[in-house]
Amino acid sequence: MEYLATISVMLKATVLDPQGEAVRKSLASLGYGQVQKVRVGKHLELVLEAADREAAGALVDELCHRLLSNPVIEEYSFSLDEGEGPR
Amino acid sequence: MEYLATISVMLKATVLDPQGEAVRKSLASLGYGQVQKVRVGKHLELVLEAADREAAGALVDELCHRLLSNPVIEEYSFSLDEGEGPR
């Protein structure tokens, strides 16, 4: 089966996010002061082959933990859809 | 009202994504050949103040279109939740 995994990798809430803060300041200086907080992370979409949903989930979990995120300072979440999806 | 906007910004499907392709090749060389396609984009979380959900949606749409994405080569999607959420 083919699965589409949609992953987001964000800095943990306790870790300072200078990129997000830079975006917030830029927005504020452009007149968007109502934006109070910004966090920036990565969004990944993976198309992968797996026997079933459970195997796909286990694979994505392993990829995220070992390679796509830094578990010391980042956290990740993902969702799985069957088929390749719209992309 | 305070809203949490969760935004993803991705290169359009027709635009080459060298970063995603680099990740795919790395995964393949590490033994994860079952990952067939990778696209990498940005994930943003904004906490913002707006009168109601409609105003919040219009604001986020404007921010995405004008500042947070490049509409020539990127597309964005977002969801809105009331309150600041877990972060």
Side-chain angles (χ1 to χ4, degrees):
Chain A
M1 280 291 301
E2 199 165 54
Y3 291 90
L4 170 70
T6 306
I7 304 165
S8 69
V9 179
M10 300 292 287
L11 287 168
K12 287 180 181 172
T14 48
V15 178
L16 204 67
D17 178 4
Q19 191 184 356
E21 187 55 16
V23 171
R24 191 197 61 74
K25 280 186 188 155
S26 297
L27 292 178
S29 75
L30 289 162
Y32 296 105
Q34 65 270 58
V35 179
Q36 291 158 357
K37 204 150 90 177
V38 179
R39 308 276 296 175
V40 180
K42 277 173 290 185
H43 179 100
L44 295 107
E45 294 182 358
L46 269 57
V47 177
L48 52 95
E49 195 67 45
D52 54 31
R53 175 172 285 266
E54 202 179 332
L59 173 64
V60 174
D61 208 43
E62 182 181 328
L63 292 176
C64 286
H65 191 76
R66 287 190 54 199
L67 304 160
L68 302 176
S69 79
N70 175 352
V72 177
I73 54 166
E74 291 175 327
E75 61 193 5
Y76 60 87
S77 61
F78 65 88
S79 65
L80 276 177
D81 293 298
E82 281 181 24
E84 191 180 325
R87 197 164 295 272
Chain B
M1 279 291 303
E2 199 165 58
Y3 291 89
L4 172 70
T6 306
I7 304 165
S8 69
V9 180
M10 300 291 290
L11 286 168
K12 286 181 181 172
T14 48
V15 177
L16 204 66
D17 177 5
Q19 189 184 359
E21 188 54 18
V23 172
R24 192 197 61 74
K25 280 186 188 156
S26 298
L27 292 177
S29 74
L30 290 162
Y32 295 105
Q34 65 271 58
V35 179
Q36 293 159 356
K37 204 151 88 178
V38 180
R39 308 276 295 175
V40 180
K42 277 172 289 184
H43 179 99
L44 296 106
E45 294 181 359
L46 270 57
V47 177
L48 52 95
E49 196 69 47
D52 53 31
R53 173 173 287 267
E54 202 179 331
L59 173 63
V60 174
D61 208 44
E62 181 182 328
L63 292 176
C64 286
H65 191 78
R66 288 190 53 199
L67 303 160
L68 303 175
S69 79
N70 175 352
V72 178
I73 56 167
E74 290 175 326
E75 61 195 3
Y76 60 86
S77 61
F78 65 88
S79 65
L80 275 178
D81 293 299
E82 281 180 26
E84 193 180 323
R87 190 168 300 272

